[in-house]
Amino acid sequence: MRPTPAKRPPVAATPMAFVQAMLRAYAAQEKSPNKALEFAQITPVQAKKLNTRITAMQMERISSFAMHELNDESLGCLSRPLPWGTYGMLVRASLTSPTLGVALKRWCRHHSLMSDDIELSVQERDGKAHIRLRELKDLGEQREFGVLSILRNLYGVACWLIDSRITLEQVRFAFEAPAHSAMYPLMFQGPVQFGNSKWDGALSKDQPATEEAFCISELVMNASYLNLPLRRDEAALQRMLETALTLTVMQYRKDRLLLTQVKQTLAMHPQDTHSAEDLAPLLNLSPRSLHRQLKEEGTSLQVLKDEVRRERAIELLQRTRKPIKQVAESAGFQNEKSFIRAFKQWTGQTPAAFRDVRQSSGKAPM
C-alpha cells in the first residue's frame, strides 16, 4: 500500500498589514484586540511584524471576531461604523434582481445611504463594465485596507450571486503599490494597476479629468456579466451568511461567461486566434488555464473554433458572392484547402456545392 501523503500546511499569504489595520480600529474604539488575536492564533508580537503573513483561515477568524466585537463591518475604515449584519442586508436587498447588473446597482445605491465617505457606482462603456469606488473624504491610515476590503467584498458577492468566476480585465487602485502588492492579483483574478500616473482619471466621457478624479479605484470586466441572471435564493443566502467572510478568499473555478467570451473573441479575430497561445492573452488567461477551464465546461478550444468558423462560413456562403478563398480567410482558415476539407466534414458538401444548393433553392447569395 502507498503511504498516505502528509497534508500540506495552509499557505500563509495574507499580509500582516491587514491585521494591523484592524488593530487601528480597536485603538480608535479604545478596546483591546487581545481576544481577537487569540481567536485567530496570532500573538501580539507577531501582529507587530509588518513583513509577516497569516493564513486565509486566520484572516477570516480575526475579521469575523473583530466585526462582532467592534460592531463594525467596515472595521474602522469608514467614519460611520457599519453595524454587524449590514452587508447581509445589502445582499438581501439585491437578491430579487433579475440580473447581476441590477443587483450591483442596487448594492451601490443602498451602500451610499450608509456612508458618505465613498461613492460606489456601476458604469458601462464600450462593452466594459466599471465598478467604481470614488473616495469623497480622506480615509487616512485605513485607506488601503478600506478600499481593498469594500471592492473585494463586492467582487466576492458578485461571483456568489451568479455562482461563477468573474474574469477581471483590469483592476485599478488610486493609491500607490503597497509592499505586499503581489497579493492583489490573487484576490482579484486579474491584472492590477496602482497609482494614478497611468490612467486618465476621468469620471465619465462628459466630465474632464480633475485632481479629485484620481481618487477612483475600479474593477473592469466584460459588460456581458451584468446580463447574467442571479442563481441564488433566500435559502442560499442564509447558508452563505453563516460563513460570509469566505467570499473574500473563495476562488470560483467556473466562469459562466467564458464560452461566450471565447466565441466572441474567435469571431472578432479569426486570423489571430489559431492557437491557445494566441487566444489566451486576449482573455487575460494563460493557455493552460484556458484549456483547463474549457475542459471543466465539457468542451475544447477546437470544438469552439469549429463552431465559430462553421457559422461564419455558412453565413458568407449564403449571403455573399465572395470567392471561396476569401470565405476561408474570413472564417479564420490559413488556406483554402484546409477550409474545404473542414467544411466537407461539417456538412458533407464542398463550399461550392453548398452555395449551389442554396442558389437552386431560390436563396441566392447577394
Coordinates of all heavy atoms in Angstrom, one line a residue, residues 89-145:
M89 N -27.6 42.5 4.8 CA -28.8 43.3 4.4 C -28.7 43.8 3.0 O -29.7 43.7 2.2 CB -29.0 44.5 5.3 CG -30.2 45.4 5.0 SD -30.3 46.8 6.0 CE -28.9 47.7 5.4
L90 N -27.5 44.2 2.6 CA -27.3 44.7 1.2 C -27.5 43.5 0.2 O -28.0 43.7 -0.9 CB -25.9 45.2 1.1 CG -25.6 46.6 1.7 CD1 -24.1 47.0 1.5 CD2 -26.5 47.7 1.1
V91 N -27.0 42.4 0.5 CA -27.2 41.2 -0.3 C -28.6 40.9 -0.5 O -29.2 40.6 -1.6 CB -26.4 40.0 0.2 CG1 -26.6 38.8 -0.7 CG2 -24.9 40.3 0.2
R92 N -29.3 40.9 0.7 CA -30.8 40.5 0.7 C -31.6 41.5 -0.2 O -32.5 41.2 -0.9 CB -31.3 40.5 2.1 CG -32.8 40.2 2.2 CD -33.2 39.9 3.6 NE -32.9 38.5 4.0 CZ -31.9 38.3 4.9 NH1 -31.2 39.2 5.4 NH2 -31.6 37.0 5.2
A93 N -31.2 42.8 -0.1 CA -31.9 43.8 -0.9 C -31.6 43.7 -2.4 O -32.4 44.2 -3.2 CB -31.4 45.2 -0.5
S94 N -30.5 43.0 -2.8 CA -30.2 42.8 -4.2 C -30.6 41.5 -4.7 O -30.6 41.2 -5.9 CB -28.7 43.0 -4.4 OG -28.2 44.2 -3.9
L95 N -31.0 40.6 -3.9 CA -31.3 39.2 -4.2 C -32.4 39.0 -5.2 O -32.4 38.0 -6.0 CB -31.5 38.3 -3.0 CG -31.3 36.8 -3.1 CD1 -29.9 36.5 -3.5 CD2 -31.7 36.2 -1.7
T96 N -33.4 39.8 -5.2 CA -34.5 39.7 -6.1 C -34.3 40.3 -7.5 O -35.2 40.3 -8.3 CB -35.8 40.3 -5.5 OG1 -35.5 41.7 -5.2 CG2 -36.2 39.6 -4.2
S97 N -33.1 40.8 -7.7 CA -32.8 41.5 -9.0 C -32.8 40.4 -10.1 O -32.4 39.3 -9.9 CB -31.4 42.1 -9.0 OG -31.3 43.0 -7.9
P98 N -33.3 40.8 -11.3 CA -33.3 39.9 -12.5 C -31.9 39.6 -13.0 O -31.7 38.5 -13.6 CB -34.2 40.6 -13.5 CG -34.0 42.1 -13.2 CD -33.9 42.1 -11.7
T99 N -31.0 40.5 -12.9 CA -29.6 40.3 -13.5 C -28.6 40.8 -12.5 O -28.9 41.6 -11.5 CB -29.5 41.1 -14.8 OG1 -29.6 42.5 -14.5 CG2 -30.5 40.6 -15.8
L100 N -27.3 40.4 -12.8 CA -26.3 40.9 -11.9 C -26.1 42.4 -12.0 O -25.8 43.1 -11.0 CB -24.9 40.2 -12.3 CG -23.7 40.7 -11.6 CD1 -23.8 40.3 -10.1 CD2 -22.4 40.1 -12.2
G101 N -26.3 43.0 -13.2 CA -26.2 44.4 -13.3 C -27.1 45.2 -12.4 O -26.8 46.1 -11.7
V102 N -28.4 44.8 -12.4 CA -29.4 45.4 -11.5 C -29.0 45.2 -10.0 O -29.1 46.1 -9.2 CB -30.8 44.8 -11.8 CG1 -31.8 45.4 -10.8 CG2 -31.2 45.1 -13.2
A103 N -28.5 44.0 -9.7 CA -28.2 43.7 -8.3 C -27.0 44.6 -7.8 O -27.0 45.1 -6.7 CB -27.8 42.2 -8.2
L104 N -26.0 44.8 -8.7 CA -24.9 45.6 -8.3 C -25.2 47.1 -8.2 O -24.8 47.8 -7.3 CB -23.7 45.4 -9.3 CG -23.1 44.1 -9.4 CD1 -22.0 44.0 -10.4 CD2 -22.5 43.7 -8.0
K105 N -26.1 47.5 -9.1 CA -26.5 48.9 -9.0 C -27.4 49.2 -7.7 O -27.2 50.2 -7.1 CB -27.3 49.3 -10.2 CG -26.5 49.4 -11.5 CD -27.3 49.6 -12.7 CE -26.3 49.7 -14.0 NZ -27.1 49.9 -15.2
R106 N -28.2 48.2 -7.3 CA -28.9 48.3 -6.1 C -27.9 48.3 -4.9 O -28.1 49.1 -4.0 CB -29.9 47.1 -5.9 CG -31.1 47.2 -6.8 CD -32.0 46.0 -6.5 NE -33.2 46.1 -7.4 CZ -34.1 45.1 -7.4 NH1 -34.0 44.0 -6.7 NH2 -35.2 45.2 -8.2
W107 N -27.0 47.5 -4.9 CA -26.0 47.4 -3.9 C -25.3 48.7 -3.7 O -25.2 49.3 -2.6 CB -24.9 46.3 -4.2 CG -23.8 46.2 -3.3 CD1 -22.7 47.1 -3.2 CD2 -23.5 45.3 -2.3 NE1 -21.8 46.7 -2.3 CE2 -22.3 45.6 -1.6 CE3 -24.2 44.1 -1.8 CZ2 -21.7 44.9 -0.6 CZ3 -23.6 43.4 -0.8 CH2 -22.4 43.7 -0.2
C108 N -24.8 49.3 -4.8 CA -24.1 50.6 -4.7 C -25.0 51.7 -4.2 O -24.6 52.5 -3.4 CB -23.6 50.9 -6.1 SG -22.3 49.8 -6.7
R109 N -26.3 51.7 -4.7 CA -27.2 52.8 -4.3 C -27.5 52.7 -2.8 O -27.5 53.7 -2.0 CB -28.5 52.7 -5.1 CG -29.5 53.8 -4.8 CD -30.6 53.8 -5.7 NE -31.4 52.6 -5.6 CZ -31.5 51.6 -6.6 NH1 -30.7 51.7 -7.6 NH2 -32.2 50.6 -6.4
H110 N -27.7 51.5 -2.3 CA -28.0 51.3 -0.9 C -26.8 51.5 0.0 O -26.9 52.1 1.1 CB -28.5 49.9 -0.6 CG -29.9 49.6 -1.3 ND1 -30.3 48.4 -1.7 CD2 -30.9 50.5 -1.6 CE1 -31.5 48.5 -2.2 NE2 -31.9 49.7 -2.1
H111 N -25.6 51.2 -0.5 CA -24.4 51.5 0.3 C -24.2 53.0 0.5 O -23.7 53.4 1.6 CB -23.2 50.9 -0.4 CG -22.0 50.7 0.5 ND1 -21.2 51.8 0.8 CD2 -21.4 49.6 1.0 CE1 -20.2 51.4 1.6 NE2 -20.3 50.1 1.8
S112 N -24.6 53.8 -0.4 CA -24.4 55.2 -0.3 C -25.3 55.8 0.8 O -25.1 56.9 1.3 CB -24.7 55.9 -1.7 OG -26.1 55.8 -2.0
L113 N -26.4 55.1 1.1 CA -27.3 55.5 2.2 C -26.6 55.4 3.6 O -27.0 56.0 4.5 CB -28.6 54.7 2.2 CG -29.4 54.9 0.9 CD1 -30.6 54.0 1.0 CD2 -29.8 56.3 0.7
M114 N -25.6 54.5 3.7 CA -25.0 54.2 5.0 C -23.6 54.9 5.2 O -23.1 54.9 6.3 CB -24.8 52.7 5.1 CG -26.1 52.0 5.0 SD -25.9 50.2 5.1 CE -25.0 49.9 3.6
S115 N -23.0 55.4 4.1 CA -21.7 56.0 4.2 C -21.6 57.2 3.2 O -21.9 57.0 2.0 CB -20.6 55.0 4.0 OG -19.3 55.6 4.0
D116 N -21.1 58.3 3.7 CA -20.8 59.4 2.8 C -19.3 59.6 2.6 O -18.9 60.6 2.1 CB -21.5 60.7 3.3 CG -21.0 61.1 4.7 OD1 -20.2 60.4 5.3 OD2 -21.6 62.0 5.2
D117 N -18.5 58.6 3.0 CA -17.1 58.6 2.8 C -16.7 58.3 1.3 O -15.6 58.7 0.8 CB -16.3 57.7 3.7 CG -16.5 58.1 5.2 OD1 -16.7 59.3 5.4 OD2 -16.5 57.2 6.0
I118 N -17.5 57.4 0.8 CA -17.2 56.9 -0.6 C -18.4 56.8 -1.4 O -19.5 56.9 -0.9 CB -16.6 55.4 -0.5 CG1 -17.6 54.5 0.1 CG2 -15.3 55.4 0.3 CD1 -17.2 53.0 0.0
E119 N -18.2 56.7 -2.7 CA -19.4 56.6 -3.6 C -19.1 55.4 -4.5 O -18.1 55.3 -5.2 CB -19.5 57.8 -4.5 CG -20.6 57.8 -5.5 CD -20.6 59.0 -6.4 OE1 -19.7 59.1 -7.3 OE2 -21.5 59.9 -6.2
L120 N -20.0 54.4 -4.5 CA -19.9 53.2 -5.4 C -20.8 53.4 -6.6 O -21.9 53.9 -6.4 CB -20.2 52.0 -4.6 CG -19.3 51.6 -3.5 CD1 -19.9 50.5 -2.6 CD2 -18.0 51.1 -4.1
S121 N -20.4 52.9 -7.7 CA -21.2 53.0 -8.9 C -20.9 51.9 -9.9 O -19.8 51.3 -9.9 CB -21.0 54.4 -9.6 OG -19.7 54.5 -10.1
V122 N -21.8 51.6 -10.8 CA -21.6 50.7 -11.9 C -21.8 51.5 -13.2 O -22.9 52.0 -13.4 CB -22.5 49.5 -11.8 CG1 -22.3 48.5 -13.0 CG2 -22.4 48.8 -10.5
Q123 N -20.8 51.5 -14.1 CA -20.9 52.2 -15.3 C -20.6 51.3 -16.5 O -19.7 50.4 -16.3 CB -20.0 53.4 -15.3 CG -20.2 54.4 -14.2 CD -19.2 55.5 -14.2 OE1 -18.6 55.8 -15.2 NE2 -19.1 56.2 -13.1
E124 N -21.2 51.4 -17.6 CA -21.0 50.7 -18.8 C -20.5 51.6 -19.9 O -21.0 52.6 -20.1 CB -22.2 49.9 -19.3 CG -22.7 48.9 -18.3 CD -24.0 48.2 -18.9 OE1 -23.9 47.6 -20.0 OE2 -25.0 48.2 -18.2
R125 N -19.4 51.2 -20.6 CA -18.8 52.0 -21.6 C -18.0 51.1 -22.6 O -17.2 50.3 -22.1 CB -17.9 53.1 -21.1 CG -17.4 54.0 -22.1 CD -16.8 55.3 -21.5 NE -15.5 54.9 -20.9 CZ -15.3 55.0 -19.6 NH1 -16.2 55.4 -18.8 NH2 -14.1 54.7 -19.1
D126 N -18.3 51.1 -23.9 CA -17.6 50.4 -24.9 C -17.5 48.9 -24.6 O -16.4 48.3 -24.7 CB -16.2 51.0 -25.0 CG -16.2 52.4 -25.4 OD1 -17.1 52.8 -26.2 OD2 -15.3 53.2 -25.0
G127 N -18.6 48.3 -24.1 CA -18.6 46.9 -23.9 C -18.0 46.4 -22.6 O -17.9 45.2 -22.3
K128 N -17.6 47.4 -21.7 CA -16.9 47.1 -20.5 C -17.8 47.6 -19.3 O -18.5 48.6 -19.4 CB -15.6 47.8 -20.4 CG -14.6 47.5 -21.5 CD -14.3 46.0 -21.6 CE -13.4 45.7 -22.8 NZ -13.2 44.3 -23.1
A129 N -17.8 46.9 -18.2 CA -18.5 47.3 -17.0 C -17.4 47.8 -16.0 O -16.4 47.1 -15.8 CB -19.3 46.2 -16.4
H130 N -17.6 49.0 -15.4 CA -16.7 49.6 -14.5 C -17.4 49.7 -13.1 O -18.3 50.4 -13.0 CB -16.2 51.0 -14.9 CG -15.5 51.0 -16.3 ND1 -14.2 51.2 -16.4 CD2 -16.0 50.8 -17.5 CE1 -13.8 51.1 -17.7 NE2 -14.9 50.9 -18.4
I131 N -16.9 48.9 -12.2 CA -17.4 49.0 -10.8 C -16.4 49.9 -10.1 O -15.3 49.6 -9.9 CB -17.5 47.6 -10.1 CG1 -18.4 46.7 -10.9 CG2 -17.9 47.8 -8.7 CD1 -18.5 45.3 -10.3
R132 N -16.9 51.1 -9.8 CA -16.0 52.2 -9.3 C -16.3 52.6 -7.8 O -17.4 52.6 -7.4 CB -16.2 53.4 -10.2 CG -15.7 53.2 -11.6 CD -15.7 54.5 -12.3 NE -14.7 54.5 -13.4 CZ -14.4 55.5 -14.2 NH1 -15.0 56.7 -14.0 NH2 -13.4 55.4 -15.1
L133 N -15.2 52.8 -7.1 CA -15.2 53.3 -5.8 C -14.5 54.7 -5.8 O -13.3 54.8 -6.1 CB -14.5 52.4 -4.8 CG -14.6 52.7 -3.3 CD1 -14.4 51.5 -2.5 CD2 -13.5 53.8 -2.9
R134 N -15.3 55.7 -5.6 CA -14.7 57.1 -5.5 C -14.6 57.6 -4.1 O -15.6 57.5 -3.3 CB -15.6 58.0 -6.3 CG -15.1 59.5 -6.4 CD -16.2 60.3 -7.1 NE -15.8 61.7 -7.0 CZ -16.7 62.7 -7.1 NH1 -17.9 62.5 -7.3 NH2 -16.3 64.0 -7.0
E135 N -13.4 58.0 -3.7 CA -13.2 58.5 -2.3 C -13.7 59.9 -2.2 O -13.2 60.8 -3.0 CB -11.8 58.4 -2.0 CG -11.2 57.0 -2.0 CD -9.7 56.9 -1.9 OE1 -9.1 57.7 -1.1 OE2 -9.1 56.2 -2.7
L136 N -14.6 60.2 -1.3 CA -15.2 61.5 -1.2 C -14.5 62.2 0.0 O -14.6 63.5 0.1 CB -16.7 61.4 -0.9 CG -17.5 60.7 -2.0 CD1 -19.0 60.7 -1.6 CD2 -17.3 61.4 -3.4
K137 N -13.9 61.5 0.9 CA -13.2 62.0 2.0 C -11.8 61.3 2.2 O -11.6 60.3 1.6 CB -14.0 61.8 3.3 CG -15.3 62.6 3.3 CD -16.0 62.4 4.6 CE -17.4 63.1 4.7 NZ -18.1 62.8 5.9
D138 N -11.0 61.9 2.9 CA -9.7 61.4 3.3 C -9.9 60.2 4.2 O -10.4 60.3 5.3 CB -8.8 62.4 3.9 CG -7.4 61.9 4.2 OD1 -7.1 60.7 3.9 OD2 -6.6 62.7 4.7
L139 N -9.5 59.0 3.8 CA -9.7 57.8 4.6 C -8.5 57.5 5.5 O -8.5 56.5 6.3 CB -9.9 56.6 3.6 CG -11.1 56.7 2.7 CD1 -11.2 55.4 1.8 CD2 -12.4 56.9 3.4
G140 N -7.5 58.4 5.4 CA -6.4 58.3 6.4 C -5.7 57.0 6.3 O -5.5 56.4 5.2
E141 N -5.2 56.5 7.5 CA -4.4 55.3 7.5 C -5.1 54.0 7.0 O -4.5 53.1 6.6 CB -3.9 55.0 8.9 CG -2.7 56.0 9.4 CD -2.2 55.5 10.7 OE1 -2.9 55.7 11.7 OE2 -1.0 55.0 10.7
Q142 N -6.4 54.1 7.1 CA -7.3 52.9 6.8 C -7.6 52.9 5.3 O -8.3 52.0 4.8 CB -8.6 52.9 7.6 CG -8.4 52.9 9.1 CD -7.9 51.5 9.5 OE1 -6.7 51.3 9.4 NE2 -8.7 50.7 10.0
R143 N -7.0 53.8 4.5 CA -7.4 53.9 3.1 C -7.2 52.6 2.3 O -8.1 52.1 1.7 CB -6.6 55.0 2.5 CG -7.0 55.3 1.0 CD -6.0 56.2 0.3 NE -6.5 56.6 -1.0 CZ -5.7 57.2 -1.9 NH1 -4.5 57.5 -1.7 NH2 -6.3 57.5 -3.1
E144 N -6.0 52.1 2.3 CA -5.7 50.9 1.5 C -6.6 49.8 1.9 O -7.3 49.1 1.1 CB -4.3 50.5 1.6 CG -3.9 49.3 0.7 CD -3.0 48.3 1.4 OE1 -2.3 48.6 2.3 OE2 -2.9 47.1 0.8
F145 N -6.7 49.5 3.2 CA -7.5 48.3 3.7 C -8.9 48.5 3.4 O -9.7 47.6 3.1 CB -7.2 48.1 5.2 CG -7.9 47.0 5.8 CD1 -7.7 45.7 5.3 CD2 -8.9 47.1 6.8 CE1 -8.3 44.6 5.9 CE2 -9.5 46.0 7.3 CZ -9.2 44.7 6.9

